[in-house]
Amino acid sequence: MSSKAPAPAGSRITICEVGPRDGFQNEKTFIPTAKKIEIANALLASGLRHMQVTSFVSPRAVPQLADAEEVLTGIDRPEGAWITALVPNLRGAERAAQCRLDAVHTVVSASETHNRKNVNRSIEGSLSEFPAVFERLQAAGIGVEGGIATAFGCPFEGVVPAEQVARIARRYQELGAESVSLGDTTGMATPLTVRAAIRAILAEAPGLDIHLHFHNTRGVGLACVMTGLSEGVTHYDAAVGGLGGCPFAAGATGNICTEDLAYLLQESGYETGVDLDRLIAAALLAQEAIGRDLPGQVIKAGPRLKRHDPELTATAAG
């Protein structure tokens, strides 16, 4: 008898690995380019097919990602791979247009204060530049995915109304984006705010594909995934080992962990295309490169049905 749960409706779920970008960007010690490529290739070898590999930001602002072009050139690209990078502005888009990318992920914050901290401009200033960004990338044959940071709350302003998130999503749709990713920049999402944002976007921008990007700052990242699943969302970002955080947001900590997400989905009957054992091996490789224990749980415990030798386990005395 199979131990696998029956597949729910909409059972194929896409996991986008963002560790090489969102995970590495917060690390103070520079990770050698060759090691970044090795980790990215190990993650792709686990069966992951969507990956946000790097970001075309100013090397002064995020020196960890100064090697964006070299990393993109060096990674393997298995059949079906969808390789993306983040760009904050037109300057970044110009760099991205010279690279082999399937899509670029743009970003604007739903919070005015965070947008100024993150990209040093107003929300409207970011949005007004996006037509040129879209035009440049589309001319290069590169798709554009819209990103909204602080979509579930802001560490500076507090509550972010779902209607504000939906208005930005509609602007993306009008520009030609086929998807929008809601970023939980400092882990402020809850099941209630996730449901409200999804439903507001469905009302304001029907037909726009919604992606979810959660951080686990307050320990409810996977609970928010379950809410997203119940609302029909089938695309989730995650970072290997639970790495991540935003350098320009107070209190930001790691993303939901890729191995933990894959485990949850597979044990709930969803299809991910990921080999969990190989994914854990890639997470251990990342942990070794970072030089400290990573916050993911499955990396420590292994799959649910992992067997242990009873002869190597202590027996209670008395």
Side-chain angles (χ1 to χ4, degrees), residues 10-27:
S11 60
R12 183 71 185 196
I13 303 298
T14 297
I15 299 175
C16 179
E17 173 60 57
V18 299
R21 195 280 296 176
D22 200 352
F24 291 167
Q25 73 176 6
N26 225 31
E27 296 300 314

Side-chain angles (χ1 to χ4, degrees), residues 10 15 20 28 47 94 110 114 178 199 215 224 285 298 303 315:
I15 299 175
K28 300 297 185 287
E94 291 288 354
H114 182 262
E178 295 184 357
R199 293 183 179 183
H215 288 235
C224 290
L285 183 64
V298 173
T315 300

Side-chain angles (χ1 to χ4, degrees), residues 111-197:
S111 149
E112 189 72 39
T113 306
H114 182 262
N115 205 65
R116 291 185 181 278
K117 289 291 184 182
N118 197 42
V119 294
N120 199 25
R121 61 180 60 189
S122 67
I123 292 174
E124 191 54 42
S126 288
L127 291 172
S128 65
E129 189 181 49
F130 282 168
V133 170
F134 274 64
E135 182 178 355
R136 179 67 184 94
L137 292 167
Q138 289 166 349
I142 297 172
V144 185
E145 303 170 347
I148 304 176
T150 59
F152 306 105
C154 172
F156 309 111
E157 297 181 11
V159 173
V160 172
E163 294 74 17
Q164 166 71 357
V165 177
R167 282 193 293 270
I168 296 173
R170 178 61 181 268
R171 292 282 291 273
Y172 271 129
Q173 188 179 49
E174 291 169 349
L175 285 167
E178 295 184 357
S179 67
V180 64
S181 178
L182 307 186
D184 182 24
T185 309
T186 59
M188 295 175 72
T190 67
L192 289 177
T193 60
V194 171
R195 184 173 292 113

Side-chain angles (χ1 to χ4, degrees), residues 216-307:
N216 201 41
T217 311
R218 293 167 178 85
V220 296
L222 294 182
C224 290
V225 168
M226 296 303 289
T227 299
L229 291 169
S230 73
E231 294 293 320
V233 176
T234 60
H235 184 117
Y236 297 86
D237 293 352
V240 58
L243 282 166
C246 176
F248 311 110
T253 58
N255 293 256
I256 57 172
C257 171
T258 310
E259 314 89 78
D260 294 359
L261 175 61
Y263 171 80
L264 171 69
L265 292 171
Q266 291 172 6
E267 289 291 333
S268 300
Y270 293 95
E271 297 292 337
T272 65
V274 173
D275 182 315
L276 187 57
D277 288 326
R278 297 186 76 173
L279 182 56
I280 292 169
L284 290 169
L285 183 64
Q287 180 170 269
E288 180 184 10
I290 298 299
R292 67 175 187 279
D293 287 347
L294 298 182
Q297 297 302 303
V298 173
I299 192 177
K300 302 174 179 67
R304 178 172 63 89
L305 296 180
K306 178 181 179 181
R307 294 295 188 260

Side-chain angles (χ1 to χ4, degrees), residues 54-80:
T54 190
S55 178
F56 292 98
V57 293
S58 165
R60 293 189 305 275
V62 187
Q64 184 66 249
L65 302 182
D67 55 359
E69 287 86 353
E70 292 84 356
V71 173
L72 282 167
T73 299
I75 61 171
D76 297 332
R77 294 170 185 260
E79 185 177 354

